[in-house]
Amino acid sequence: MEVNTEDNNVMEKVLLPDEQEIDVELEAKEKKYLRGEGANLELLKDKKLKSQLASREKIYGKSAKYAAKIEKWLLPASAGYLETEGLEKTWRVKQTDIAKEVDILSSRKQYDIVLPDLGPYKVDFTASGRHMLAGGRKGHLALVDMMNMKLIREIQVGETVRDVAFLQDEDLFAAAQKKYAYIYKSNGAEAHCLKESGPVTRLRYLKNHFLLASVNKIGQLRFQDTTNGSMEASIRTGKGRTDVMEVNPYNNVVALGHSGGTVTMWTPKMQAPLFQMRCHPGPVSSVAFHPNGHLMATSGKERKIKIWDLRKYEEIQTIHGFHAKTLSFSQKGLLAAGTGSFVQVLGDSSSGSSHNYSRYMNHSMVKGYQIEKLMFRPYEDVLGIGHSMGWSSILIPGSGEPNFDSWVANPFETLKQKREKQIHSLLDKLPPETVMLDPSKIGAMRPARRKEKPTRGEIEAEKELAIEAAKSTELKNKTKGRNKPSKRTRKKKELVESAKRSFPAQEHSAASKKRRIGEEEAAELPASLKRFARKK
Amino acid sequence: MGGLKRKSSSKTLGKAKQRKGPHLPSSILKAINEKRPLNSDEEDDELDSDDENGGDVYEYEDGVPEEESRRNNRYDRVDNYEYELPEDFKVFFQHTRMLQDVSGLPAEVFKGEGKSERRKLYTEAYPESEFNPTRDVLEGKDSVTFEELLAPLEGKPGYNELRKSFSRMRKNTQSVVHAPLPKPERERLDRKSVRGQVDKEFDKWVPLVKRNREAPTVYFDKDVNLGYSTVGAIASEFKPRTKFEMNMASVLGGNEVLEAHRNDGVSMEDHIKDHNRIAKTRSLLFRHEIKSKRMKKIKSKTYHRLKNKDLRLAGESLMDPELAKEEAMKQEIRRVEERMTLKHKNTSKWAKRMRSRGLDMRYDETRAALSEQLQKHADLSRKVNSMNDGSSSDESDDEEELNDASDQDTPAKLLAKAKEKTLKIVEDDEVPNSGLLSLPFMARAMKKKQEEANEEAKRLVEEYEEWENPDGAENPKNSVNVIGRRSFGETAIVEAPKESKKEANNFYDNSDSDNDMDGIEDNDVVAVRDNASPARNTGTITETEIDDVAGNSAPKTTFDVALFASGSWKKMTGCKNAESKKASKTHVPISQAQDKKESRDEESEDSESEAEQMVDGILTSASKETFEIPSQAELINRAFAGDDVVDEFEKEKQKVLNEEVPEPEKPVQVPGWGQWTNIQNKRGLPSWMVREHEDAKKKREQALKTRKDARLKHVIISEKVHKKAEKLHTTTLPFPFTSKEAFENSMRMPIGPEFNPSTVVGDLNRPEVVKKTGVIIKPVKFEEVNPNDKADDEHPRSHQKQRPKKSKKVGRGQSKVKSK
């Protein structure tokens, strides 16, 4: 033992401080990849299971270590950042300043597209951030490849367009138009007209479930399966018209913001909301979810932005004096809020589990532009802004995830990869009932129901209590003839019997009765058939 | 055993009697017995039989129970006295009384008889002799020894022998075989020793079994040697055994044969060379075969055409005259055949039908097919020697002339001839007066065809003329010349768009406004940019639909997105935008009117119209007009929109709570019950009902308190069961698990290849038993396993281990033995 500790000491001495730091960092990452603690094996009695679980844990540890190392050493890119010196403040840095500092490729990502005629634009990005869809209110739909800034297709639907959303990838996209929602192919051909859902105000797509969620003018929330077209759910929210809808990326629960200041959470397979929260005294104007699914940001018309912890159903922070018409969380957790012609980006200044959002960057558009929709472009430090005069794109350093995972989303996808992925994602399609608040509980033990039937033991205990109570009841003194001891005992017995009777006979007694009957029947059988009778 | 016991008890009945009374502890008795000489008296045997430790080997006796043995003083002797005395006394008194009666002596005389005075006279039934020895003699106690018997014989003959044999006997008697232990005892001892052995044997297996049980995977892949793998291997092992085989071997493997082989003339090197050559040719052939197969597989027509052409050319250049002749003959035969049958002269049923219906005119493909057939016909019916000629006139009659011409004339002349001919064709267009072709529709079709042909001919003539009087550079002319034949193709191309345009126009006319963009988008970009086509579109759209944005949307705005990349900060769109702006301005009033109409139509769409008003902000002059300050009522509404939000939410929450945890019903009696008299009415409901109601209320409150949202005023968390999702959870724990935590923690990590490095995926997903097909699973072999070693994954394949099931069996057997 001593030798060992000495060895350890020597090792510690040898380790440089840098290496120690690396070790600490790796350990933290390893912990992340271990996804929680293993079971306490000491409590297990089964030795075989114990050893099996122990070996399992060992392999898990190996895997986590490997993943941590890969994350540490092999991932190609590091996240962007904005660093200030002295009295400089990050929110004083303007886009023009950034443009001077960044490389040519990045500087090309700052631009305004001015389309003055066809109304405020909604924008949507594919999961990989490769393609953008812009939907002008007055019927202009444009599909743009952001990598080479090529306009793939633009169409004029000749109707009001209220919202646009990509489906699985850029091949199909949906547009909420005047009367119905439509699905278009990337070449502009109309693939479907979704007449069932009526005049849709908001569209969102649940990627893992292949569900197109839409909320219409009369406040009906509908989930339509895009693989077979079936309407998976049609829910009356009963809260009136709304055009605030967002999907929680972690568990695919759909959130609706209502005019009464409440935010409700819905799943396709339940008619009632999972929970509702009174977030604002006035109408909710927009909702956004942090990619980790635990944080929600809401903004109300009373000029407040609130950040909520969805695990505790608690408000963590209120940001005053800013009415956000639209909110958006970036992959790295920056929160962008847009109103009028002003964009504010909030950053989480605190580290760890507590959150403290404070201003990180500002951007003001040309006066008079009305911002309609903000959305961070995935895997890029870019914020897309759809406004009344077209759309713009600005650089927000540190907003995007620097390394993409080609299993999840690949901006450089080849045609073959895309096809393969389409098939895979179709095979991996999740049924709509898997949308739940805590999806990690799938496959675990069923949560204990509120007790409806007492267990046998409880019934027994209750019965005993009742009998005791019956036994200990003191009988009143009755008139002479009725107060005989025999009568009293008989009365008591009756009481006990009635107490017993009030508890229905247990099931097992019935079963035994049945068995007995079976045996009796066997006794009646002729001798030659007796051997077929059920034996004990 | 029982029987034996009974026997012994019957033998020592008296003894049993004695034992019943109070007596000394056995240890003391033992000491007394040791002191007392063994062979003193007859009565001693009773005492002997009394003590178990005396070692009377013939009689089996159970060990004295502890309470009787009184080794420890745990048992109260007084109890025993109390219990046993009465009987003892009874027996004693009976006996003494009997003796008294018989002898007439006082009872005192007999008192000490059992214990103190135990001297009894033992009279033998027979006189003592060698045939009837006393018990002492039999037991060897105090008996005559051999020495004593031998002493008198000393010095007599045979004495020594006798002595020797005696001493030998004695030796034997010293190692006398003791009487065997009673059977049960013997068996027990046996079992004991055997069990020790077995335990040892099994204990040595324990670490091995443990390792196998705890190993995540058991491998059976050590004994993969399945014997011979090839026929050669088997043959090499062959040894002749039978006579016949021997003979054969001697013949085949004899020296002479080998010698003969050696002198065969074929040396080994030659043989190898030969072999190599054959192998090479074989491989070449094989490759060729593969290649030709691959070539044959190719379906491309162009490829085959080119290939055939190549072949033909090659054949012509390379073939020897005989073959060429043959080929020519073949060609001639084909030609004759073709001329006889006119198979490819569009005489087929299909071709006729096509032509009769005029389909060949309408569809390009049909026409192409027909002309192709004609081409084929021409090719086939061409004379062999004219094969090199490039001309492709149909009629073989003319061909000769042409050939002649081509032989002699200059191209100019040729052209002139051609021109003449075409003109001739153009001029004579006579319609047959009778037959099928005279039918009106046929005539029409013919006419059409004729016209087309005429047109073509005219074009041709023009071309001819161009060629005839060349002006300017010759090179372009030449190039035209080269593709002269293709002029047909060009015309076709020119025509095609016309047609498609016509179709497109039709399409626009017929189609609904919904899908009109389709057609436009399918056209070329040029077509879209063309000002004419959008204009047409706008016409159609505005005509067909009345919409809020139709007027504005009509002019198509195209943005050269590629320009974005140039890095300019802001970019207004080009002239087209300006146009569209103008258009929009002109359309503004209409759109506004429509807006208003719409808002009147749909009152609920207020926010939308509002947004539309806000749309263009301050910048656009058009939108300035549209922007309206919201009315006072609206402003007030907006200001007070969220006034009693809190109250409403409270109500909502109460509603949800009532729904999920319903309030107990108010106790009501059956109508008319308990309302006979005023008193009953006054008394109100019976107390049990009230109590029940209160209980239910309490229960409800309790339930409400335990809800998650009990303390969160701003939240309503539904506690409804997500029934559809219940199937995604398990109701019972899977087998080896006994605790929920352990199970859920073991589930937390994904094991798929998407989430784990490839080095670990195998370990995570390996089955419990890995076995190769064909491997025989042998019973587990013993091997030394260090019990302190954990089951290692690092050298999993070092041993063939046994399946855990089998090892379990071993374990069970072990336990059986132990339990015995």
Side-chain angles (χ1 to χ4, degrees):
Chain A
M1 284 301 283
E2 279 183 16
V3 175
N4 269 339
T5 51
E6 267 177 17
D7 277 351
N8 284 343
N9 286 337
V10 168
M11 287 296 285
E12 275 166 23
K13 271 172 199 167
V14 166
L15 277 180
L16 295 171
D18 282 356
E19 284 176 18
Q20 279 179 14
E21 246 173 55
I22 286 167
D23 273 2
V24 169
E25 202 182 331
L26 276 180
E27 252 168 44
K29 276 174 181 160
E30 213 178 307
K31 213 175 176 186
K32 180 179 87 182
Y33 283 107
L34 267 176
R35 296 173 168 86
E37 297 263 307
N40 188 3
L41 297 180
E42 296 305 312
L43 298 178
L44 289 177
K45 278 177 194 164
D46 189 346
K47 279 182 188 168
K48 193 179 173 189
L49 177 67
K50 206 195 246 180
S51 69
Q52 278 175 353
L53 285 183
S55 67
R56 264 285 130 140
E57 282 299 327
K58 215 167 150 193
I59 301 172
Y60 289 155
K62 232 196 259 175
S63 171
K65 193 171 253 175
Y66 199 81
K69 273 184 184 167
I70 282 179
E71 196 194 324
K72 171 78 187 150
W73 302 114
L74 292 185
L75 287 189
S78 52
Y81 56 89
L82 201 59
E83 216 171 48
T84 52
E85 289 168 352
L87 289 173
E88 283 178 338
K89 299 289 178 197
T90 47
W91 58 87
R92 301 239 167 81
V93 179
K94 289 192 172 155
Q95 288 298 314
T96 43
D97 304 335
I98 291 174
K100 276 180 217 156
E101 301 298 326
V102 296
D103 54 332
I104 297 169
L105 270 177
S106 302
S107 68
R108 278 186 187 167
K109 284 165 191 159
Q110 292 179 320
Y111 55 81
D112 285 335
I113 306 294
V114 182
L115 306 161
D117 295 318
L118 296 171
Y121 279 83
K122 297 263 179 193
V123 291
D124 190 22
F125 290 102
T126 51
S128 64
R130 174 79 190 257
H131 295 88
M132 190 188 82
L133 182 66
R137 177 126 195 132
K138 293 185 178 169
H140 178 213
L141 297 179
L143 179 60
V144 187
D145 186 342
M146 302 299 275
M147 196 72 81
N148 46 18
M149 293 305 278
K150 202 180 132 204
L151 182 66
I152 293 174
R153 181 63 69 186
E154 63 173 347
I155 50 176
Q156 170 57 265
V157 293
E159 271 187 345
T160 312
V161 170
R162 294 198 196 89
D163 199 10
V164 287
F166 274 115
L167 301 195
Q168 208 66 22
D169 47 23
E170 72 277 7
D171 281 353
L172 288 173
F173 58 89
Q177 294 179 23
K178 191 187 167 200
K179 261 186 156 175
Y180 311 117
Y182 290 84
I183 292 178
Y184 294 98
K185 287 181 184 172
S186 61
N187 63 3
E190 178 191 319
H192 297 287
C193 171
L194 311 177
K195 284 191 176 166
E196 253 180 293
S197 43
V200 172
T201 56
R202 275 291 171 280
L203 280 172
R204 285 292 174 273
Y205 187 67
L206 278 60
K207 221 177 154 211
N208 298 325
H209 301 80
F210 284 77
L211 291 177
L212 184 66
S214 61
V215 62
N216 64 12
K217 272 186 183 174
I218 51 172
Q220 281 177 325
L221 176 66
R222 287 173 197 265
F223 291 91
Q224 190 156 23
D225 194 320
T226 55
T227 53
N228 52 16
S230 64
M231 189 63 80
E232 285 300 335
S234 172
I235 303 164
R236 289 172 175 278
T237 58
K239 303 231 172 213
R241 175 180 171 150
T242 177
D243 56 353
V244 179
M245 175 161 83
E246 208 56 57
V247 178
N248 188 339
Y250 169 64
N251 50 18
N252 286 307
V253 169
V254 170
L256 293 178
H258 302 282
S259 59
T262 54
V263 171
T264 49
M265 303 284 175
W266 303 85
T267 66
K269 286 293 173 193
M270 275 182 86
Q271 289 291 315
L274 291 175
F275 65 88
Q276 18 188 326
M277 259 198 316
R278 181 166 49 76
C279 296
H280 294 278
V284 177
S285 57
S286 87
V287 173
F289 286 98
H290 194 278
N292 69 13
H294 303 321
L295 286 188
M296 178 176 78
T298 60
S299 73
K301 290 247 161 85
E302 86 283 12
R303 296 169 64 78
K304 269 177 196 166
I305 297 173
K306 287 184 181 177
I307 292 166
W308 301 83
D309 190 338
L310 290 179
R311 293 170 294 187
K312 293 192 275 184
Y313 308 98
E314 246 173 28
E315 180 191 330
I316 341 182
Q317 202 184 346
T318 308
I319 296 147
H320 294 275
F322 194 80
H323 163 241
K325 193 170 184 238
T326 162
L327 288 170
S328 170
F329 266 107
S330 84
Q331 282 176 323
K332 282 284 185 186
L334 298 182
L335 175 65
T339 180
S341 56
F342 186 66
V343 180
Q344 184 156 43
V345 181
L346 305 164
D348 190 1
S349 56
S350 67
S351 58
S353 56
S354 65
H355 295 278
N356 179 26
Y357 275 85
S358 56
R359 59 185 161 162
Y360 175 61
M361 282 184 81
N362 292 334
H363 179 67
S364 5
M365 318 275 299
V366 178
K367 217 168 188 187
Y369 284 18
Q370 294 291 316
I371 289 170
E372 178 74 13
K373 168 95 194 235
L374 293 178
M375 191 168 178
F376 280 99
R377 188 175 157 198
Y379 305 106
E380 294 279 358
D381 286 349
V382 167
L383 174 65
I385 307 166
H387 50 78
S388 58
M389 294 291 278
W391 71 80
S392 314
S393 155
I394 58 172
L395 289 181
I396 307 291
S399 67
E401 173 69 40
N403 298 296
F404 64 86
D405 181 354
S406 61
W407 286 100
V408 178
N410 186 359
F412 304 99
E413 211 166 37
T414 61
L415 189 64
K416 205 170 180 186
Q417 284 170 333
K418 191 174 134 191
R419 284 179 185 149
E420 202 145 292
K421 197 173 174 198
Q422 278 171 346
I423 301 296
H424 272 292
S425 59
L426 205 55
L427 289 174
D428 294 342
K429 178 189 165 189
L430 295 175
E433 56 265 23
T434 54
V435 177
M436 55 176 79
L437 273 183
D438 190 358
S440 65
K441 284 280 171 282
I442 290 176
M445 282 283 285
R446 180 184 291 175
R449 269 196 192 184
R450 183 166 286 282
K451 271 176 197 167
E452 278 150 13
K453 272 186 185 173
T455 60
R456 183 167 291 165
E458 281 170 351
I459 292 175
E460 218 95 295
E462 216 168 304
K463 192 175 173 183
E464 234 142 74
L465 268 182
I467 290 169
E468 278 301 305
K471 275 180 183 169
S472 61
T473 44
E474 282 193 12
L475 294 173
K476 280 180 201 164
N477 279 329
K478 298 256 168 123
T479 47
K480 199 184 172 193
R482 293 166 184 264
N483 212 12
K484 279 185 221 161
S486 64
K487 284 218 165 176
R488 286 175 79 96
T489 46
R490 202 193 301 155
K491 181 84 189 169
K492 220 161 216 189
K493 255 185 194 171
E494 267 172 20
L495 273 177
V496 169
E497 279 304 305
S498 70
K500 273 183 190 169
R501 220 175 296 137
S502 63
F503 292 93
Q506 298 294 309
E507 271 177 34
H508 66 88
S509 63
S512 67
K513 216 178 209 175
K514 239 182 211 171
R515 205 182 301 140
R516 223 176 293 136
I517 287 165
E519 275 162 30
E520 279 167 18
E521 279 170 0
E524 284 169 17
L525 285 172
S528 59
L529 295 179
K530 257 178 192 167
R531 59 186 155 155
F532 296 115
R534 191 191 292 161
K535 280 161 197 160
K536 260 192 178 176
Chain B
M1 203 165 111
L4 214 96
K5 205 174 185 179
R6 221 178 294 132
K7 232 187 251 171
S8 73
S9 67
S10 65
K11 249 187 187 173
T12 58
L13 201 73
K15 171 205 75 181
K17 241 181 225 171
Q18 273 177 355
R19 264 216 264 147
K20 272 190 181 159
H23 50 253
L24 289 168
S26 58
S27 54
I28 298 169
L29 279 179
K30 200 177 163 189
I32 291 164
N33 278 341
E34 273 170 8
K35 276 184 184 170
R36 196 183 290 170
L38 281 170
N39 50 355
S40 61
D41 264 333
E42 292 92 345
E43 70 248 25
D44 278 1
D45 66 16
E46 281 190 325
L47 267 173
D48 275 351
S49 60
D50 200 359
D51 68 352
E52 309 76 38
N53 302 328
D56 191 354
V57 285
Y58 290 102
E59 282 189 3
Y60 172 70
E61 197 75 89
D62 266 349
V64 176
E66 212 171 14
E67 58 265 36
E68 279 183 37
S69 68
R70 297 177 207 292
R71 280 217 179 82
N72 45 2
N73 293 330
R74 275 187 297 164
Y75 302 95
D76 195 359
R77 287 174 213 172
V78 180
D79 282 353
N80 284 342
Y81 284 134
E82 276 174 2
Y83 179 68
E84 286 176 30
L85 266 175
E87 202 189 17
D88 219 5
F89 271 126
K90 207 175 153 194
V91 172
F92 178 71
F93 281 121
Q94 274 177 358
H95 189 65
T96 48
R97 208 181 299 141
M98 190 192 75
L99 286 174
Q100 234 176 330
D101 288 351
V102 171
S103 61
L105 285 169
E108 288 87 75
V109 178
F110 302 104
K111 238 178 188 175
E113 188 208 42
K115 280 149 206 173
S116 59
E117 297 272 339
R118 291 183 111 205
R119 286 186 186 281
K120 269 187 200 168
L121 281 176
Y122 203 97
T123 50
E124 300 293 334
Y126 304 97
E128 197 180 276
S129 72
E130 55 209 326
F131 302 109
N132 186 27
T134 60
R135 194 185 176 95
D136 285 343
V137 172
L138 278 176
E139 287 174 1
K141 287 173 193 165
D142 198 21
S143 55
V144 184
T145 57
F146 274 100
E147 282 84 7
E148 288 171 355
L149 289 173
L150 276 178
L153 294 176
E154 199 171 355
K156 288 201 175 163
Y159 168 75
N160 277 338
E161 285 169 23
L162 198 62
R163 200 174 52 93
K164 267 177 195 169
S165 66
F166 164 67
S167 65
R168 203 166 51 239
M169 261 171 68
R170 197 147 200 210
K171 251 180 213 167
N172 286 341
T173 51
Q174 267 173 1
S175 64
V176 83
V177 179
H178 290 290
L181 279 169
K183 206 180 169 193
E185 193 110 342
R186 224 186 313 140
E187 280 175 350
R188 192 190 291 151
L189 284 174
D190 277 354
R191 285 200 300 269
K192 211 174 181 179
S193 58
V194 166
R195 181 180 155 181
Q197 284 295 315
V198 170
D199 271 0
K200 222 184 200 174
E201 181 68 18
F202 279 122
D203 280 348
K204 110 187 156 178
W205 288 87
V206 166
L208 182 65
V209 171
K210 190 164 168 268
R211 190 187 68 182
N212 279 343
R213 273 171 67 82
E214 290 179 352
T217 307
V218 186
Y219 298 90
F220 296 102
D221 55 355
K222 199 195 165 195
D223 266 355
V224 281
N225 185 16
L226 299 176
Y228 301 114
S229 55
T230 60
V231 180
I234 297 169
S236 68
E237 291 284 299
F238 176 76
K239 267 174 192 155
R241 278 169 301 174
T242 60
K243 202 178 173 190
F244 173 69
E245 282 172 357
M246 299 271 196
N247 286 338
M248 287 300 288
S250 65
V251 169
L252 289 175
N255 275 334
E256 295 146 22
V257 177
L258 288 178
E259 199 65 25
H261 272 306
R262 213 163 288 144
N263 299 334
D264 219 6
V266 185
S267 69
M268 202 57 183
E269 287 165 11
D270 282 349
H271 176 74
I272 286 167
K273 220 185 254 175
D274 213 33
H275 184 267
N276 283 345
R277 190 175 52 77
I278 289 167
K280 197 177 175 187
T281 40
R282 249 189 214 149
S283 78
L284 280 174
L285 274 175
F286 175 72
R287 276 174 199 204
H288 184 257
E289 195 182 351
I290 292 283
K291 195 180 173 190
S292 49
K293 261 184 193 166
R294 199 182 65 231
M295 302 251 272
K296 206 182 167 192
K297 254 188 199 168
I298 296 171
K299 281 176 181 161
S300 162
K301 271 183 183 167
T302 348
Y303 168 78
H304 279 290
R305 194 151 39 76
L306 291 173
K307 199 183 87 178
N308 287 337
K309 203 176 168 186
D310 279 358
L311 268 183
R312 219 186 303 133
L313 288 174
E316 274 163 17
S317 58
L318 290 176
M319 263 193 297
D320 54 327
E322 262 184 40
L323 280 177
K325 209 174 179 184
E326 222 168 74
E327 184 63 26
M329 276 303 288
K330 266 186 196 164
Q331 177 66 24
E332 189 60 29
I333 286 166
R334 260 185 257 137
R335 177 170 171 259
V336 168
E337 221 167 57
E338 178 62 29
R339 277 163 62 100
M340 297 253 297
T341 58
L342 293 179
K343 201 177 176 183
H344 294 106
K345 249 206 130 196
N346 288 345
T347 49
S348 73
K349 209 173 177 183
W350 173 79
K352 272 181 191 163
R353 188 188 264 168
M354 286 297 121
R355 289 175 74 177
S356 70
R357 294 187 181 174
L359 291 174
D360 54 336
M361 309 297 348
R362 203 180 298 166
Y363 297 114
D364 289 348
E365 285 120 6
T366 321
R367 194 170 42 202
L370 290 175
S371 61
E372 197 184 47
Q373 279 211 335
L374 284 179
Q375 180 70 35
K376 205 167 184 186
H377 170 80
D379 284 349
L380 283 171
S381 56
R382 187 187 295 145
K383 266 197 170 179
V384 179
N385 48 4
S386 68
M387 263 187 0
N388 287 340
D389 200 329
S391 81
S392 62
S393 71
D394 294 358
E395 288 147 353
S396 49
D397 301 359
D398 296 355
E399 214 172 42
E400 274 180 74
E401 291 173 28
L402 265 176
N403 280 337
D404 293 346
S406 66
D407 284 340
Q408 298 148 12
D409 296 356
T410 56
K413 271 188 182 175
L414 220 161
L415 276 174
K417 237 178 199 175
K419 188 184 166 188
E420 200 184 308
K421 267 198 178 158
T422 45
L423 280 174
K424 197 178 158 192
I425 289 164
V426 169
E427 271 159 27
D428 58 27
D429 44 353
E430 36 188 41
V431 180
N433 293 329
S434 62
L436 190 74
L437 291 176
S438 67
L439 285 171
F441 67 91
M442 283 303 285
R444 242 178 286 140
M446 287 284 284
K447 209 176 168 185
K448 226 181 193 174
K449 214 163 128 192
Q450 200 74 44
E451 272 169 22
E452 232 176 64
N454 285 351
E455 235 176 62
E456 223 166 62
K458 268 176 200 166
R459 218 173 296 125
L460 272 175
V461 169
E462 275 168 24
E463 270 177 27
Y464 292 150
E465 278 168 4
E466 265 181 34
W467 285 333
E468 271 172 11
N469 46 0
D471 45 357
E474 279 178 28
N475 281 344
K477 293 290 171 308
N478 280 345
S479 67
V480 170
N481 203 355
V482 169
I483 54 159
R485 257 292 121 243
R486 289 190 192 161
S487 62
F488 293 98
E490 267 180 23
T491 54
I493 287 164
V494 169
E495 275 171 16
K498 261 188 195 168
E499 263 183 18
S500 67
K501 259 187 188 170
K502 258 186 220 164
E503 277 175 6
N505 279 338
N506 284 337
F507 180 63
Y508 290 147
D509 292 342
N510 298 336
S511 67
D512 293 335
S513 55
D514 289 355
N515 46 10
D516 52 358
M517 285 331 236
D518 253 354
I520 299 167
E521 294 307 322
D522 287 342
N523 275 343
D524 280 356
V525 182
V526 186
V528 177
R529 292 214 172 171
D530 187 15
N531 275 341
S533 63
R536 200 169 53 214
N537 291 340
T538 58
T540 53
I541 289 167
T542 44
E543 271 166 26
T544 47
E545 68 178 321
I546 304 161
D547 211 333
D548 49 348
V549 287
N552 289 356
S553 67
K556 201 117 181 68
T557 50
T558 55
F559 305 101
D560 202 352
V561 185
L563 279 174
F564 300 164
S566 64
S568 57
W569 182 237
K570 273 178 259 171
K571 225 168 275 160
M572 300 296 286
T573 43
C575 59
K576 239 152 262 167
N577 260 341
E579 271 176 31
S580 64
K581 254 189 194 170
K582 273 179 209 164
S584 70
K585 271 183 187 170
T586 54
H587 281 288
V588 159
I590 302 167
S591 65
Q592 272 176 19
Q594 279 164 353
D595 270 353
K596 275 172 192 169
K597 220 191 274 174
E598 197 196 334
S599 60
R600 241 177 284 141
D601 288 346
E602 302 171 19
E603 289 162 6
S604 63
E605 218 184 79
D606 51 352
S607 74
E608 196 177 304
S609 60
E610 183 190 306
E612 268 160 33
Q613 283 161 355
M614 302 265 286
V615 157
D616 296 350
I618 306 151
L619 265 196
T620 50
S621 56
S623 61
K624 253 182 189 172
E625 293 165 16
T626 55
F627 182 75
E628 277 177 20
I629 299 164
S631 68
Q632 193 67 22
E634 208 178 317
L635 275 176
I636 288 167
N637 263 343
R638 209 184 281 173
F640 291 94
D643 221 8
D644 53 350
V645 160
V646 180
D647 257 13
E648 262 174 37
F649 193 79
E650 285 287 284
K651 272 181 201 165
E652 171 91 31
K653 184 162 183 175
Q654 214 51 50
K655 212 176 100 189
V656 171
L657 291 185
N658 282 341
E659 200 178 299
E660 286 182 9
V661 190
E663 247 180 310
E665 281 178 30
K666 266 196 172 177
V668 182
Q669 282 197 323
V670 183
W673 192 264
Q675 291 159 7
W676 285 89
T677 63
N678 209 19
I679 300 163
Q680 276 179 324
N681 250 344
K682 264 187 190 169
R683 217 184 261 162
L685 291 163
S687 61
W688 64 268
M689 264 188 182
V690 175
R691 214 184 308 127
E692 227 166 50
H693 181 66
E694 265 163 19
D695 277 356
K697 262 187 177 173
K698 259 184 207 168
K699 243 183 197 175
R700 178 172 184 266
E701 265 165 34
Q702 198 63 37
L704 289 183
K705 262 184 200 171
T706 53
R707 278 176 69 96
K708 269 192 213 162
D709 56 359
R711 292 190 177 182
L712 301 164
K713 276 192 174 173
H714 62 286
V715 183
I716 308 170
I717 300 167
S718 158
E719 299 218 326
K720 276 182 184 164
V721 182
H722 194 174
K723 272 183 192 161
K724 290 275 165 49
E726 281 202 326
K727 64 184 175 189
L728 301 170
H729 302 289
T730 57
T731 48
T732 52
L733 283 169
F735 159 60
F737 290 99
T738 44
S739 83
K740 192 180 160 192
E741 280 71 46
F743 169 60
E744 280 174 7
N745 278 329
S746 76
M747 295 264 302
R748 75 184 196 281
M749 285 284 278
I751 56 170
E754 292 93 340
F755 303 93
N756 288 298
S758 53
T759 49
V760 180
V761 170
D763 289 341
L764 278 174
N765 295 299
R766 191 164 289 127
E768 269 182 52
V769 177
V770 172
K771 177 186 170 297
K772 275 188 183 165
T773 43
V775 172
I776 298 159
I777 298 177
K778 284 174 187 160
V780 62
K781 264 185 205 164
F782 177 71
E783 59 185 298
E784 281 294 336
V785 175
N786 186 1
N788 295 327
D789 272 357
K790 289 257 171 182
D792 252 358
D793 299 343
E794 288 167 23
H795 310 289
R797 282 148 201 277
S798 54
H799 308 286
Q800 178 175 4
K801 298 171 190 173
Q802 192 42 273
R803 230 200 307 232
K805 265 189 184 175
K806 287 204 169 177
S807 54
K808 255 187 203 166
K809 263 182 195 169
V810 172
R812 232 177 275 144
Q814 185 182 350
S815 66
K816 255 184 203 168
V817 169
K818 268 182 182 167
S819 72
K820 245 187 182 178

